[in-house]
Amino acid sequence: MIPLTCIHIVSHMSILQQPTGAHHADLADSIPGAASREPNHPPMKVVSYGGGVQSTALLVLAARGEIDFRTFLFANVGDDSEHPATLAYVREIAIPYATRAGLDVHELRRRRRDGATESLMQRLNRPDTRSIPIPVRMANGAPGRRNCTADFKIKVVGRWLREHGATAEAPATVGIGISLDEIHRANRRRREAHEVIEYPLLDLGLRRDDCESIITEAGLPVPPKSSCFFCPFRTVDAWRHQRRHEPELFAQSVRLEDTINRRRAALGRDAVYLTRYGIPLAQAIPDQGPGVGGDDEDEGACDSGWCMT
């Protein structure tokens, strides 16, 4: 079992495709200027790895040599924010599998200007935070503006690529795990200037059930759907499962919603919610029974592909 303190894995091949053992970075693996590419070196190619079904299928396809990606970047939004099941899968299942296959998996974290790391939960609980970075629901059920994906996924991966030699003139290719049944989520605009986005699963015409088959054929368990455990884009069924089977996580979600609304009330602003029903989470998802509504059609709709893959 991989220790939960391990936040960076490097296996046989480096981002620069150097010989075995040529790349040994520190835990953050993000020292500015640590690895500039040679002028004639092939463009950098990485996968934004989310720890879910689609990006794990990409990991297996890379291990089988069916897609040309050797490096996978897992932007961890925080051990206090990612779902524990996703962290366990990445560290105990995916990373050992990748290491055996000669692939690199790097676990990255957001760093502030002073060099300290910051989790999404820490950002949400900062007393001076006036804006809400997650897509909380307004009273009418519509999601508010968010920058969690940009700040804790896109920019974190982008910074790592920039520090390893990617430029606007020589951009890195970033593979995103969107399958054919979620093609509406494909959005090449959600990227940094030194990146080019590709969708290998779309190119191969693969759907989510195909991805599950690819994973099981490799002898791996199918991972749970990846997202922050308090993400407002979670489906109602996911919230119900959390309340019934993960009560500690549900209690943390309730506390977070309360904290956000206390801060908004102090600023004279209307309340917001983690579900679309316009009532507090504990009321929207009661302890027993179906709760409010029963239709998930407009949930689980994060449009970037950097999350929930």
Side-chain angles (χ1 to χ4, degrees):
M1 182 176 294
I2 302 298
L4 292 186
T5 55
C6 177
I7 68 168
H8 175 243
I9 299 293
V10 178
S11 58
H12 303 158
M13 298 291 289
S14 78
I15 186 67
L16 300 181
Q17 302 295 301
Q18 295 174 325
T20 303
H23 176 60
H24 298 285
D26 62 9
L27 290 181
D29 196 27
S30 54
I31 299 174
S36 298
R37 292 204 315 277
E38 297 177 0
N40 296 324
H41 202 280
M44 190 186 309
K45 299 189 70 173
V46 305
V47 167
S48 172
Y49 181 58
V53 170
Q54 285 94 337
S55 60
T56 297
L58 291 179
L59 188 68
V60 174
L61 291 172
R64 296 189 335 203
E66 296 180 30
I67 59 172
D68 184 24
F69 290 88
R70 309 296 297 172
T71 300
F72 289 69
L73 303 180
F74 173 52
N76 179 357
V77 304
D79 284 13
D80 57 358
S81 306
E82 296 278 1
H83 196 289
T86 296
L87 293 174
Y89 191 93
V90 170
R91 292 165 174 168
E92 299 170 14
I93 304 296
I95 285 176
Y97 173 81
T99 302
R100 293 192 299 270
L103 304 176
D104 292 348
V105 176
H106 301 259
E107 186 171 339
L108 313 178
R109 299 179 188 269
R110 173 177 168 79
R111 297 199 320 273
R112 298 191 309 227
R113 291 182 180 179
D114 62 4
T117 59
E118 179 185 41
S119 73
L120 180 55
M121 182 67 83
Q122 288 171 332
R123 167 81 68 83
L124 287 164
N125 281 283
R126 271 172 36 190
D128 60 340
T129 297
R130 298 179 65 88
S131 62
I132 307 172
I134 62 175
V136 287
R137 301 288 181 143
M138 315 311 288
N140 64 1
R145 298 182 62 183
R146 73 187 193 277
N147 57 14
C148 49
T149 300
D151 286 355
F152 288 85
K153 292 286 187 179
I154 298 174
K155 290 181 180 178
V156 170
V157 169
R159 179 174 183 170
W160 191 94
L161 294 173
R162 191 170 60 249
E163 290 171 349
H164 287 76
T167 65
E169 294 73 28
T173 297
V174 180
I176 302 291
I178 289 180
S179 51
L180 194 60
D181 47 311
E182 296 186 339
I183 193 170
H184 59 280
R185 299 179 63 198
N187 184 352
R188 287 187 170 87
R189 294 173 297 171
R190 302 300 294 274
R191 63 179 179 84
E192 298 284 84
H194 52 279
E195 298 170 352
V196 174
I197 301 300
E198 287 189 0
Y199 298 101
L201 297 175
L202 297 184
D203 294 339
L204 294 170
L206 297 176
R207 305 178 69 85
R208 182 184 175 88
D209 56 354
D210 298 319
C211 293
E212 293 180 351
S213 297
I214 288 169
I215 293 167
T216 56
E217 287 168 5
L220 303 178
V222 175
K225 191 175 183 67
S226 64
S227 71
C228 296
F229 69 85
F230 50 80
C231 180
F233 281 140
R234 292 172 63 81
T235 65
V236 173
D237 284 344
W239 281 119
R240 290 172 181 158
H241 181 276
Q242 186 179 105
R243 175 146 203 176
R244 294 170 184 169
H245 302 287
E246 301 166 329
E248 292 183 3
L249 293 182
F250 189 80
Q252 290 183 57
S253 300
V254 169
R255 287 196 297 271
L256 175 61
E257 188 183 68
D258 289 343
T259 297
I260 290 171
N261 281 325
R262 283 198 305 271
R263 187 179 300 128
R264 288 180 64 85
L267 296 171
R269 297 175 181 173
D270 294 337
V272 293
Y273 306 98
L274 295 183
T275 71
R276 69 181 187 271
Y277 298 124
I279 57 177
L281 179 61
Q283 297 176 33
I285 312 295
D287 193 21
Q288 299 293 333
V292 179
D295 183 357
D296 283 354
E297 287 184 3
D298 65 343
E299 297 208 56
C302 185
D303 66 352
S304 68
W306 291 80
C307 297
M308 298 184 174
T309 60

